[in-house]
Amino acid sequence: MTSAALPRSRLHLQFLIDNGADPDIVLLRDEMMRAPVAEAFPGRGVHLGRETLAGKALWRWPGVHRANRGYYRQVGERMADLGITRLTIFLEGEPLERYLCSLPQINHLELWEDGLSHYVDLTSDHWYAARGLVQAAMGFYPAGITRRRMNRAQALVRDRFEQRNLVLVAPAEPQSWRDELLLVGSPLVEDRIVPRERFLAGLAAIRAAVPLDIRYLPHPREDLARLAGDLVAAGITLEDNAGGLLDHAARWGYRGYAAAVSTGLLDMGRYDRSIFMPALFGLDRMDRVLRNWPALPLPLAGDAAALGRAVAQLPPLG
């Protein structure tokens, strides 16, 4: 029996490594994953490519639809040629994963955690359904395309906080500590989750509530030019993020870590020093969703006063 995994990110690769997975084949679809897969599992990477997007040129849509239907046929033939019967996926709501799960030769399927979105629905179901309808019109695999979740009864589910049958090794103890608060960024403005004015109001509320110096570690998709101006106005220092959060966490430790909402705070494992605070950026739905998740391993601040209290309760350094 040939086993395969389809990691979509470095986090997924780390899950495979930390849990002793030994897939015969590591499937990848994006070029950015070529080097990480080759480093983690030399000689096992198989590139599947990805669907074609139509963009706004409506006249291209019929051809794109045909191309994508052909893409899935080619992927199915490749999977059969490779003899893959055991499959591990991380994203349950994506058409490619749905298609692979439907292949008749797959007799053992595992769904491994993708991060926070594995546990809670942070975005609207209507948004997800609308995206699925657009994908279907472009010829993406259509079964279940408007649904966020797969039928998890068909898979062995592995995760850290509910099933508790998955681990992620936390970063090493930092080389140095800063008696400061680190804000872990998300592309809230760039992804149009909140308007810029609301983002600025959130920064101002945080600055007023927290008596510590504050640094901001940007998300790779945030506009650094926009962000630099916003942070200067708020009196917050912009920190370089060349290596990502976990690399930064291995070099620097902080009195506390806070984020509107970020899987990164889960991945660091420093729950006694971490705080979620979506409501400070007007994300009240996310606040309600997290409050209703019984396995949430870190505190949730619902307003500036609660954030101030949570920061006051952080353990001292040393």
Side-chain angles (χ1 to χ4, degrees):
M1 295 184 291
T2 301
S3 63
L6 177 51
R8 296 277 204 116
S9 68
R10 290 178 181 268
L11 172 63
H12 300 163
L13 278 177
Q14 200 62 50
F15 272 128
L16 293 172
I17 294 166
D18 290 351
N19 290 273
D22 190 29
D24 300 304
I25 293 170
V26 181
L27 304 169
L28 61 143
R29 53 188 276 126
D30 295 309
E31 287 297 324
M32 69 175 187
M33 290 297 291
R34 275 193 187 272
V37 167
E39 180 181 355
F41 297 97
R44 303 191 204 182
V46 172
H47 188 241
L48 295 181
R50 61 180 304 134
E51 300 93 344
T52 301
L53 298 178
K56 296 181 179 179
L58 296 181
W59 59 270
R60 294 187 61 231
W61 283 56
V64 167
H65 190 281
R66 289 191 297 272
N68 285 331
R69 298 302 292 270
Y71 165 75
Y72 287 110
R73 285 194 298 273
Q74 292 171 6
V75 167
E77 291 167 1
R78 190 80 180 278
M79 294 285 287
D81 291 342
L82 292 169
I84 295 171
T85 58
R86 301 173 64 89
L87 178 65
T88 298
I89 63 170
F90 295 84
L91 301 184
E92 61 184 306
E94 293 300 315
L96 177 61
E97 278 81 351
R98 294 273 177 90
Y99 174 70
L100 295 178
C101 293
S102 76
L103 295 175
Q105 74 259 28
I106 301 300
N107 57 36
H108 181 83
L109 177 65
E110 296 194 10
L111 171 66
W112 286 24
E113 174 193 339
D114 175 48
L116 192 58
S117 62
H118 173 86
Y119 304 98
V120 292
D121 299 339
L122 295 172
T123 55
S124 166
D125 288 340
H126 298 299
W127 177 89
Y128 206 90
R131 188 194 73 151
L133 291 174
V134 172
Q135 289 175 326
M138 288 188 288
F140 286 42
Y141 180 68
I145 201 166
T146 59
R147 297 196 302 271
R148 183 193 306 267
R149 306 290 181 190
M150 66 183 286
N151 176 11
R152 291 188 176 184
Q154 73 183 94
L156 172 62
V157 179
R158 297 188 186 273
D159 60 49
R160 288 175 286 175
F161 302 112
E162 292 181 349
Q163 305 300 323
R164 298 189 179 185
N165 52 4
L166 203 63
V167 299
L168 184 69
V169 177
E173 280 294 301
Q175 300 169 6
S176 303
W177 287 87
R178 289 169 170 166
D179 196 17
E180 302 173 357
L181 182 73
L182 182 71
L183 293 183
V184 178
S186 299
L188 301 177
V189 175
E190 285 70 21
D191 288 355
R192 299 183 180 180
I193 297 172
V194 301
R196 186 177 185 184
E197 295 75 15
R198 191 66 190 80
F199 180 78
L200 288 168
L203 292 181
I206 294 166
R207 177 64 283 175
V210 175
L212 303 172
D213 288 340
I214 302 175
R215 291 179 188 260
Y216 190 102
L217 194 72
H219 188 280
R221 292 208 312 277
E222 286 186 279
D223 182 336
L224 292 181
R226 186 272 304 169
L227 187 58
D230 293 351
L231 295 176
V232 167
I236 296 173
T237 301
L238 178 61
E239 181 71 11
D240 178 68
N241 190 20
L245 173 61
L246 297 188
D247 178 74
H248 187 78
R251 289 184 290 112
W252 291 101
Y254 291 83
R255 170 89 76 88
Y257 304 84
V261 59
S262 170
T263 289
L265 294 192
L266 302 182
D267 301 340
M268 280 194 308
R270 298 173 188 170
Y271 307 134
D272 62 335
R273 296 188 179 276
S274 299
I275 307 163
F276 277 144
M277 47 176 194
L280 271 77
F281 292 95
L283 300 172
D284 296 333
R285 181 184 183 278
M286 290 186 183
D287 181 271
R288 290 193 299 273
V289 168
L290 289 172
R291 288 184 189 281
N292 289 325
W293 180 33
L296 180 66
L298 52 90
L300 182 67
D303 55 31
L307 175 62
R309 291 192 297 271
V311 169
Q313 294 169 5
L314 293 171
L317 299 185

